[in-house]
Amino acid sequence: MNGLNLSLPRTRVFVMATLLALASAFSLSAWARPGHGGHEGGGFMMGSPRMLERVFDEVNATDAQRTQLRQIAQAARDDLKTIRQSGRELRERQLQLFSQPTVDANAAETLRQQMLAQHDQASRRMLQAMLDASRVLSPEQRAKLAEKMKARHDMMNRHMQERRQLETPKG
């Protein structure tokens, strides 16, 4: 394989560890992308304006609460848009790195660390939006919202399992 002697255990371990680390970083960066596949991790705050309105109705939010929550959600969306763009740039660099004839392990590790930092930044911003929203909603409203979110999560898991069962070959 291009002059590499992969029969050496250390070399094999290093190559596998590098590939695993980069695959993990790629997966985390994809997961951290707000809006990716509809699972942005920010809960109702990062959803569509229509979803926000439905949530407001479900928890009987006052007009003042609706205004505050819209502002929190919009600020978070704006911040996450910038974070998402930096994630795109990192993924482009990742593709460039792996398309080279020889992959620089140090550059790959640096990129992995940058992707993890980008994921952490997105995660912190989403948490901040949820904490800000928690200060606007009453404990009763938060409990009702959590109940609705859990029911939706359970439904999505059921649907995912059903799809997997349909896709699994019989025999």
Side-chain angles (χ1 to χ4, degrees):
M1 288 172 63
N2 295 341
L4 286 177
N5 181 359
L6 293 180
S7 64
L8 296 172
R10 255 198 264 176
T11 303
R12 236 186 250 162
V13 169
F14 174 75
V15 168
M16 293 304 289
T18 301
L19 289 174
L20 180 62
L22 287 163
S24 297
F26 184 75
S27 298
L28 283 173
S29 68
W31 181 80
R33 284 184 288 171
H36 176 68
H39 303 288
E40 60 280 324
F44 76 94
M45 292 300 295
M46 301 302 115
S48 69
R50 197 169 87 196
M51 177 190 275
L52 272 177
E53 294 303 319
R54 190 169 49 237
V55 168
F56 296 161
D57 291 342
E58 288 175 353
V59 299
N60 298 319
T62 66
D63 289 341
Q65 286 175 317
R66 291 170 189 254
T67 299
Q68 286 180 283
L69 291 169
R70 281 189 202 103
Q71 291 169 347
I72 291 167
Q74 188 58 53
R77 273 194 216 100
D78 292 346
D79 292 346
L80 288 166
K81 184 177 180 181
T82 302
I83 294 169
R84 187 171 48 244
Q85 180 56 39
S86 73
R88 280 190 198 106
E89 292 164 6
L90 289 171
R91 285 185 298 283
E92 287 172 17
R93 285 182 30 212
Q94 181 183 46
L95 291 174
Q96 290 170 354
L97 177 68
F98 282 97
S99 65
Q100 300 303 309
T102 303
V103 177
D104 179 345
N106 291 327
E109 174 59 21
T110 298
L111 182 60
R112 182 190 72 80
Q113 290 175 8
Q114 290 170 343
M115 292 173 112
L116 288 173
Q118 186 266 341
H119 172 262
D120 188 54
Q121 184 181 15
S123 176
R124 275 194 316 265
R125 184 57 184 101
M126 289 184 286
L127 174 62
Q128 186 58 54
M130 294 303 291
L131 292 172
D132 291 345
S134 76
R135 292 183 195 98
V136 174
L137 297 170
S138 71
E140 294 80 16
Q141 288 171 313
R142 289 195 314 271
K144 188 171 188 176
L145 180 58
E147 187 179 297
K148 296 280 185 181
M149 289 171 74
K150 183 180 181 335
R152 179 170 168 77
H153 179 76
D154 291 346
M155 179 192 67
M156 289 172 62
N157 280 340
R158 255 191 335 274
H159 289 172
M160 193 166 40
Q161 288 174 350
E162 290 167 2
R163 277 192 302 267
R164 283 186 187 142
Q165 289 174 349
L166 290 174
E167 293 170 359
T168 302
K170 305 279 186 217

